[in-house]
């Protein structure tokens, strides 16, 4: 089993927060089991609210989306994702991801490609282009790269 945990390390002052484990593989054609936890901070109204949302997620929830208003500025939050498969549903592999909510706007960078990367491979015979989009406040900048 191999799992991938993706998300930003800095949350913009007015942005929302998304973490994803959707690129994880190893379920043998069956859904993986996901367990999301906030490991730090472990007290305060913000931690209580975030923990409540995480506890209400179903076991097949491969991503979390939280409003930025749940986070306090200049405070770090550690999220732990544990993933298991149907063969060993009680044996989880886990990783921790730490984010900090910034006091100022932070550029949001989105990368995309015309190639379906869910299989995790690109062949030399295929054209590859990567599109990047950066958004700061209300300004957007798009770039396109290709070999």
């Amino acid at each position: 089993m191999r799992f991938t945990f993706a998300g930003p390390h800095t949350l913009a002052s007015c942005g929302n927060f998304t973490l994803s484990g959707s690129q994880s593989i190893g379920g043998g054609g069956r859904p993986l089991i996901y367990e999301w936890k906030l490991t730090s901070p472990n007290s305060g109204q913000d931690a209580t609210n975030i923990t409540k949302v995480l506890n209400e997620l179903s076991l097949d929830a491969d991503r979390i989306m939280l409003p930025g208003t749940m986070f306090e500025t200049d405070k770090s939050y550690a999220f732990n994702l544990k993933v298991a498969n149907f063969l060993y549903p009680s044996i989880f592999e886990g990783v921790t991801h730490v984010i900090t909510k910034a006091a100022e706007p932070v550029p949001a960078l989105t990368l995309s490609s015309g190639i379906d990367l869910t299989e995790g491979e690109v062949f030399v015979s295929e054209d590859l282009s990567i599109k990047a989009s950066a958004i700061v406040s209300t300004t957007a900048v798009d770039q396109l790269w290709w070999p």
Side-chain angles (χ1 to χ4, degrees), residues 1-97:
M1 183 169 71
R2 180 190 63 140
F3 68 98
T4 304
F5 193 11
H9 290 287
T10 304
L11 177 61
S13 59
C14 56
N16 293 320
F17 179 64
T18 301
L19 283 177
S20 174
S22 65
Q23 295 293 317
S24 301
I25 59 172
R30 298 182 189 185
L32 293 171
I33 302 165
Y34 298 89
E35 182 181 284
W36 297 91
K37 297 281 184 207
L38 177 68
T39 58
S40 175
N42 53 16
S43 64
Q45 191 61 47
D46 54 342
T48 301
N49 293 341
I50 293 167
T51 299
K52 181 177 187 266
V53 171
L54 298 179
N55 288 341
E56 293 174 354
L57 293 173
S58 64
L59 292 176
D60 64 348
D62 64 359
R63 72 189 66 220
I64 58 173
M65 292 175 244
L66 301 170
T69 54
M70 296 183 92
F71 299 87
E72 293 182 16
T73 302
D74 293 327
K75 189 171 181 180
S76 293
Y77 297 82
F79 289 87
N80 185 264
L81 169 62
K82 293 183 179 179
V83 181
N85 62 24
F86 71 98
L87 290 173
Y88 307 102
S90 61
I91 300 175
F92 286 87
E93 292 191 35
V95 68
T96 299
H97 185 87

